[in-house]
């Protein structure tokens, strides 16, 4: 058996598949005859790898399932884990290569991998199979199915207290989300952003959570999705305020407000300035509150000078409303400037 397996591997490595497979099959039979269950599993696993390389998906699946049974019987856990993940890999590769015809087969493969993991109390590996499935659905642009699985995986990681894997998942979700935003899949993209930030907040990593929102905001603004981008910016500032990282919130809100003024989106620009004023109010920094409001007054004058009277008046009115939160004297001062 060992000699046949060694020669079989050698022929397979040289891509002499027919002869290599024949020798490995002989080895598998010999191992079974002498009741060497683990080595028979190794032989079946090798056959599965060859079949997968040739895109003979059904044969690969059948062979790796046989390997998994041998590894379960011989109680070789790491080899069993490898077999489970090989089933998931076969599912993914078959679905990506033949989306229209292999979906049912791929789903059967994923379900079998999950069942084997469950039967052997391999909860962490079960989660990895779901993760492979979610990534596969992302690859074939079945984003709704991918989102549902990512939500399930997030819950699994939380139950298993997998903090490091949770952080990696949050980062991956942020990357996928921004790719989807660029593709125009705004709803799914923002849902993945929300999932990513929720993970970071659960891990007590508010800075990372705010960065996810800001990354999404920048992507959306470049796509001229102003309303959606500003919403993410405000969510980021809320997180930083809760984390008492007020300086960072002020800086990026100021940058976004300036960009929005340049884009003539005065309503959202004013909203960002209003958030800055609120942050300074929380810090009880009246001087900086006034400075932010005076900047808004300057912007109002510039807009009016450009002939956009109505827009300028609305910006000025917002500045006046913000001034009332300081005191009546300051509000009167602004009204005299306006007059």
């Amino acid at each position: 058996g060992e000699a046949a397996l060694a020669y079989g591997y050698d022929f397979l490595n040289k891509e002499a598949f027919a002869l290599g497979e024949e020798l490995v099959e002989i080895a598998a039979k010999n191992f079974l005859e002498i009741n060497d269950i683990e080595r028979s599993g190794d032989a079946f696993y090798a056959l599965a790898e060859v079949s997968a390389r040739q895109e003979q998906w059904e044969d690969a699946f059948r062979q790796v399932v046989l390997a998994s049974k041998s590894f379960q019987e011989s109680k070789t856990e790491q080899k069993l884990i490898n077999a489970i993940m090989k089933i998931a890999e076969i599912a993914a590769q078959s679905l990506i290569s033949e989306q229209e015809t292999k979906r049912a087969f791929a789903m059967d493969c994923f379900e079998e991998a999950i069942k084997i993991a469950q039967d052997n109390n391999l909860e962490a590996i079960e989660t990895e199979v779901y993760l492979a499935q979610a990534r596969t659905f992302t690859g074939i642009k079945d984003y709704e199915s991918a989102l549902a699985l990512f939500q399930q995986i997030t819950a699994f990681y939380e139950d298993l207290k997998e903090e490091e894997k949770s952080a990696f998942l949050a980062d991956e979700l942020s990357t996928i989300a921004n790719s989807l935003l660029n593709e125009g899949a705004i709803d799914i993209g923002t849902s993945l952003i929300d999932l990513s930030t929720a993970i970071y907040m659960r891990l007590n990593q508010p800075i990372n959570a705010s960065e996810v929102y800001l990354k999404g905001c920048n992507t959306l603004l470049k796509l001229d999705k102003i309303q959606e981008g500003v919403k993410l910016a405000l969510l980021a500032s809320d997180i930083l305020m809760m984390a008492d990282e007020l300086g960072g919130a002020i800086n990026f809100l100021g940058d976004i407000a300036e960009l929005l003024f340049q884009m003539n989106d005065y309503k959202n620009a004013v909203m960002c300035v209003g958030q800055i004023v609120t942050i300074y109010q929380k810090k009880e920094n009246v001087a900086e509150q006034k400075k932010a409001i005076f900047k808004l007054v300057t912007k109002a004058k510039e807009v009016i000078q450009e002939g956009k009277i109505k827009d300028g008046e609305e910006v000025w009115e917002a500045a006046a409303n913000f001034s009332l939160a300081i005191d009546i004297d300051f509000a009167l001062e602004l009204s005299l400037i306006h007059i």
Side-chain angles (χ1 to χ4, degrees):
E2 293 292 350
L5 187 60
Y7 282 119
Y9 280 147
D10 188 47
F11 282 116
L12 292 175
N13 289 332
K14 294 175 181 177
E15 298 190 354
F17 295 123
L19 186 53
E21 285 182 68
E22 184 179 346
L23 287 168
V24 173
E25 286 176 359
I26 290 171
K29 290 176 182 176
N30 288 341
F31 288 133
L32 287 172
E33 287 172 2
I34 63 173
N35 205 34
D36 191 338
I37 306 300
E38 179 182 352
R39 292 300 280 156
S40 70
D42 292 336
F44 286 128
Y45 189 91
L47 288 171
E49 287 190 310
V50 175
S51 296
R53 284 165 64 185
Q54 296 177 299
E55 298 190 0
Q56 296 171 352
W57 307 119
E58 286 80 1
D59 287 343
F61 177 51
R62 175 180 55 79
Q63 290 155 346
V64 77
V65 167
L66 288 172
S68 73
K69 289 177 179 177
S70 296
F71 297 142
Q72 287 178 78
E73 190 174 341
S74 60
K75 301 187 186 306
T76 46
E77 186 175 279
Q78 187 54 55
K79 289 183 178 180
L80 175 59
I81 290 170
N82 292 343
I84 292 169
M85 295 312 298
K86 177 60 69 174
I87 294 172
E89 181 184 315
I90 290 166
Q93 290 177 341
S94 65
L95 184 55
I96 290 170
S97 65
E98 301 175 54
Q99 292 182 38
E100 294 182 3
T101 59
K102 292 298 182 187
R103 187 174 182 109
F105 167 76
M107 294 304 295
D108 287 343
C109 291
F110 280 125
E111 287 173 11
E112 181 66 19
I114 290 164
K115 182 179 182 300
I116 295 170
Q118 290 174 341
D119 289 346
N120 290 273
N121 299 314
L122 297 169
E123 290 181 323
I125 303 307
E126 178 188 353
T127 306
E128 292 305 305
V129 174
Y130 281 120
L131 185 56
Q133 190 175 1
R135 287 168 174 161
T136 303
F137 283 137
T138 301
I140 64 171
K141 301 185 184 299
D142 182 355
Y143 300 132
E144 293 284 352
S145 298
L147 174 61
L149 284 165
F150 280 129
Q151 290 169 333
Q152 191 172 351
I153 294 158
T154 299
F156 280 149
Y157 279 161
E158 185 174 1
D159 291 341
L160 294 170
K161 301 190 185 319
E162 290 277 12
E163 293 192 359
E164 186 175 352
K165 287 183 178 180
S166 291
F168 281 125
L169 177 61
D171 182 63
E172 180 177 352
L173 292 174
S174 175
T175 301
I176 294 170
N178 280 276
S179 295
L180 298 191
L181 294 179
N182 279 313
E183 291 179 16
I186 306 300
D187 289 343
I188 295 291
T190 51
S191 293
L192 288 172
I193 286 173
D194 288 339
L195 187 57
S196 174
T197 54
I199 294 170
Y200 277 131
M201 293 302 289
R202 175 171 58 79
L203 296 174
N204 196 28
Q205 297 181 21
I207 303 301
N208 287 336
S210 67
E211 287 176 353
V212 172
Y213 276 135
L214 287 177
K215 188 176 177 182
C217 168
N218 289 331
T219 301
L220 287 165
L221 291 179
K222 289 175 184 175
L223 295 170
D224 206 28
K225 299 290 183 181
I226 307 302
Q227 199 70 36
E228 296 89 340
V230 170
K231 179 182 177 182
L232 296 188
L234 295 177
L235 287 170
S237 70
D238 287 342
I239 288 174
L240 290 174
M241 287 173 68
M242 285 189 291
D244 206 29
E245 293 285 343
L246 304 181
I250 289 166
N251 288 336
F252 80 74
L253 283 170
D255 291 342
I256 291 172
E258 186 61 36
L259 175 63
L260 291 168
F261 274 120
Q262 291 173 11
M263 298 170 69
N264 300 326
D265 188 343
Y266 306 118
K267 180 180 178 181
N268 284 309
V270 165
M271 200 182 303
C272 290
V273 174
Q275 189 81 334
I276 293 171
V277 172
T278 300
I279 293 171
Y280 281 130
Q281 188 175 20
K282 182 178 180 181
K283 293 178 72 174
E284 298 182 353
N285 191 332
V286 175
E288 290 298 330
Q289 273 184 274
K290 289 182 177 181
K291 192 180 292 185
I293 293 169
F294 275 128
K295 283 184 180 178
L296 196 57
V297 169
T298 300
K299 288 294 183 185
K301 290 179 178 179
E302 290 174 359
V303 174
I304 290 171
Q305 287 171 359
E306 292 172 2
K308 302 169 187 173
I309 308 299
K310 183 181 177 183
D311 291 330
E313 289 290 345
E314 287 177 354
V315 174
W316 200 300
E317 184 180 348
N321 289 334
F322 295 151
S323 70
L324 290 170
I326 298 177
D327 57 46
I328 191 64
D329 290 337
F330 182 60
L332 288 171
E333 181 184 346
L334 279 195
S335 67
L336 289 173
I337 294 173
H338 190 202
I339 292 168

